[in-house]
Amino acid sequence: MNKKNVKYLTTGEFAKLCKVNKQTLFYYDQIGLLPPVLKNEKGYRFYSINQIELFYVIDLLKDLGMSLNDIQQYTYNKSPERFLTLMYQKKEEIVKKRQEIEMKEKIIEAKIALMEEASHVDFHQITFKQLPEATLYLSRNIENITAEEFVEVISDFIGELNESQLDTGYPIGGITKREQVLKGEFSNYSYLYIEQPNPREGYPYFQAVKGDFLIGYHIGEDKTIHNTYKLLFSEMERLHLALGDYVFEEFIYDTVVMNHKEHYVTKIMIQVDQIGS
């Protein structure tokens, strides 16, 4: 074979151009995916320069998660029409993956911002401030449910967030109505919620109107949270404030960042009214 007159590449040369090892090409030949254009009497394989593009397409399809068996089925029945259909299909898959990656990036950005904000908070301080309007996505009503039912509800809620791509990276919180708080039923939530900073159309949302809130932080397990509420009620009395319609609770530090429950931190936001206003 006079390689000066024909454009054939040895297995090593072709492998170097494709940036793979020769064993990959041997395997592709073995399964009929990318056979060489010819083999000489000594069994040496030779490839055409034109086969480089086919290798790149095979490599692209592999990177996109297509199995070698499915790629092989295409190569057995190649046509411009089948190739175009395949490319459109893969483009749709890439668009979907990119959207998923962008969503995950936003979730990570939100978690970074929340954690950095938490690192500058004095968890022993009670503050009185006005919170802006917020859009919340709610679970179904969960007042007075059992512990077993609560597990089912939170499982369903997380499933909804994942399926509808409504996970924003913000913590899942609980809304307690005024009547439950007055009875000391601080963990008898009415709804679970997650904040939606960029709400999408077509979903039922709860609009938390802007207003005055007394904000404190409970450090430790949920079973001792009544002690923190006592401190908050004392501060409300000192500031001549009355309990509003809702209390919002959400974890600041939980099992994601702490190994022990006594180090968990729950943010408590009590909606309040000025007495006499």
Side-chain angles (χ1 to χ4, degrees), residues 213-264:
F213 285 81
L214 198 66
I215 301 173
Y217 299 87
H218 172 66
I219 302 172
E221 298 183 59
D222 183 63
K223 64 184 180 182
T224 60
I225 202 167
H226 60 278
N227 294 324
T228 302
Y229 271 93
K230 285 181 181 179
L231 293 174
L232 287 164
F233 291 154
S234 295
E235 186 67 5
M236 283 173 59
E237 187 176 352
R238 188 184 71 83
L239 296 173
H240 306 290
L241 301 172
L243 181 63
D245 293 330
Y246 300 104
V247 173
F248 301 86
E249 283 184 19
E250 55 191 47
F251 273 122
I252 301 297
Y253 293 159
D254 58 8
T255 185
V256 174
V257 297
M258 293 295 182
N259 287 323
H260 304 289
K261 290 182 179 180
E262 58 266 29
H263 297 145
Y264 289 1

Side-chain angles (χ1 to χ4, degrees), residues 7 10 12 25 32 42 49 52 60 63 72-74 81 94 120-121 145 164 167 198 202 234 242:
K7 295 181 180 180
T10 66
L25 297 179
K42 293 183 179 179
I49 289 177
I52 293 175
L60 172 65
D63 285 346
Q72 190 178 46
Q73 294 306 310
Y74 164 74
E81 294 77 18
I94 288 174
H120 297 97
V121 172
I145 63 173
S164 301
D167 185 355
N198 299 294
S234 295

Side-chain angles (χ1 to χ4, degrees), residues 98-260:
R98 182 169 63 242
Q99 291 172 341
E100 291 172 351
I101 289 172
E102 288 174 352
M103 184 184 73
K104 289 175 181 176
E105 182 182 14
K106 289 178 181 178
I107 289 173
I108 289 172
E109 286 175 349
K111 291 186 180 299
I112 288 172
L114 290 167
M115 199 55 56
E116 287 185 342
E117 180 184 352
S119 68
H120 297 97
V121 172
D122 180 357
F123 296 135
H124 296 91
Q125 184 178 10
I126 296 174
T127 57
F128 173 66
K129 64 172 62 175
Q130 188 175 83
L131 295 183
E133 187 178 79
T135 301
L136 310 178
Y137 182 74
L138 304 186
S139 70
R140 64 179 175 87
N141 188 285
I142 58 174
E143 290 173 22
N144 304 313
I145 63 173
T146 65
E148 291 76 15
E149 289 172 325
F150 183 79
V151 173
E152 180 183 340
V153 167
I154 196 166
S155 176
D156 290 345
F157 188 57
I158 291 171
E160 288 175 29
L161 298 179
N162 291 333
E163 184 177 343
S164 301
Q165 297 185 340
L166 292 170
D167 185 355
T168 57
Y170 283 72
I172 293 176
I175 300 176
T176 312
K177 291 181 180 177
R178 184 176 187 273
E179 49 265 37
Q180 269 73 44
V181 176
L182 288 174
K183 290 188 289 187
E185 298 175 354
F186 306 122
S187 296
N188 186 7
Y189 304 121
S190 296
Y191 303 94
L192 301 176
Y193 72 87
I194 186 169
E195 189 172 342
Q196 301 289 307
N198 299 294
R200 293 159 50 202
E201 293 183 5
Y203 294 93
Y205 295 114
F206 175 82
Q207 206 67 33
V209 296
K210 72 176 182 180
D212 293 331
F213 285 81
L214 198 66
I215 301 173
Y217 299 87
H218 172 66
I219 302 172
E221 298 183 59
D222 183 63
K223 64 184 180 182
T224 60
I225 202 167
H226 60 278
N227 294 324
T228 302
Y229 271 93
K230 285 181 181 179
L231 293 174
L232 287 164
F233 291 154
S234 295
E235 186 67 5
M236 283 173 59
E237 187 176 352
R238 188 184 71 83
L239 296 173
H240 306 290
L241 301 172
L243 181 63
D245 293 330
Y246 300 104
V247 173
F248 301 86
E249 283 184 19
E250 55 191 47
F251 273 122
I252 301 297
Y253 293 159
D254 58 8
T255 185
V256 174
V257 297
M258 293 295 182
N259 287 323
H260 304 289

Side-chain angles (χ1 to χ4, degrees), residues 27-40:
Y27 180 64
Y28 285 0
D29 179 20
Q30 179 184 338
I31 64 175
L33 184 60
L34 182 62
V37 290
L38 61 88
K39 292 180 184 177
N40 66 12

